[in-house]
Amino acid sequence: MATTLKVNGAETRVDAAPETPLLYALRDDLGLNGPKYGCGLGQCGACTVLVDGRAVLSCVTPISVIGSRAVETVEGLGTAEAPGPVQRAFIELQAMQCGYCIPGMMMRTEALLRDNPDPQDHEIRAAFQTNLCRCGTHMRIMKAIRRAAELYRDANPVQEG
Ligand code: FES
Ligand code: FES
């Protein structure tokens, strides 16, 4: 059965059962390997993507519930040649070790900054409860999130009045 998904700004048809996890559709049907399979149980955050700007765990989200809402993956945040603010910050701070958790961390960062461009540390920690890093690079990830917030505010200045 075909489902139409809007992913990174483009509408695309996925020939998969309605209960198929969004993560599988993104990776297996659309070739978007940014979102990662970690636990498959909604417990690690490696599969985090955005749905209408909100962070969602795509391993436990069936494609049938997406409807016309916009899905964004780390591939939609920028390119190798022109990385977006969040990607630039993670590269600049070398926040990754193995890198497996990082696409999910970046998407969680993007969701947080769209909602709150100037987060306090306790707000960052609260937002990242669902995203784990088995390599233990949490301190560098924290620095990257703070740097991402600076770059994000530079790229999206608040309009006065
Ligand atoms: S793979 Fe989705 S939360 Fe772990
Ligand atoms: S950098 Fe390896 S899991 Fe986070």
Side-chain angles (χ1 to χ4, degrees):
M1 182 178 165
T3 300
T4 300
L5 294 174
K6 187 175 173 191
V7 181
N8 296 331
E11 289 209 345
T12 181
R13 280 166 69 84
V14 174
D15 196 13
E19 64 272 21
T20 302
L22 177 60
L23 177 63
Y24 296 4
L26 293 171
R27 290 181 60 87
D28 300 341
D29 295 282
L30 302 180
L32 294 168
N33 294 326
K36 297 288 186 273
Y37 184 100
C39 63
L41 297 169
Q43 295 177 354
C44 76
C47 65
T48 304
V49 301
L50 304 190
V51 175
D52 270 359
R54 298 278 168 194
V56 163
L57 300 173
S58 62
C59 71
V60 289
T61 304
I63 56 175
S64 59
V65 305
I66 302 298
S68 60
R69 294 183 291 166
V71 177
E72 294 172 75
T73 69
V74 72
E75 289 90 345
L77 296 189
T79 64
E81 297 73 30
V86 171
Q87 293 167 323
R88 292 210 316 273
F90 275 74
I91 295 167
E92 189 182 308
L93 273 294
Q94 289 291 289
M96 60 293 288
Q97 190 165 318
C98 80
Y100 202 80
C101 69
I102 297 299
M105 295 286 185
M106 287 182 180
M107 298 316 288
R108 182 73 57 183
T109 304
E110 182 76 21
L112 173 65
L113 297 181
R114 285 188 197 181
D115 204 36
N116 176 7
D118 192 12
Q120 303 300 300
D121 281 359
H122 72 274
E123 293 172 313
I124 295 173
R125 289 198 184 91
F128 280 76
Q129 288 297 314
T130 48
N131 287 66
L132 307 178
C133 173
R134 65 186 171 183
C135 296
T137 63
H138 299 93
M139 297 313 292
R140 275 187 281 160
I141 289 170
M142 273 297 282
K143 285 183 186 168
I145 297 164
R146 290 191 201 107
R147 177 65 179 143
E150 291 173 1
L151 295 175
Y152 193 90
R153 290 195 298 274
D154 288 348
N156 302 280
V158 176
Q159 303 293 323
E160 296 296 336

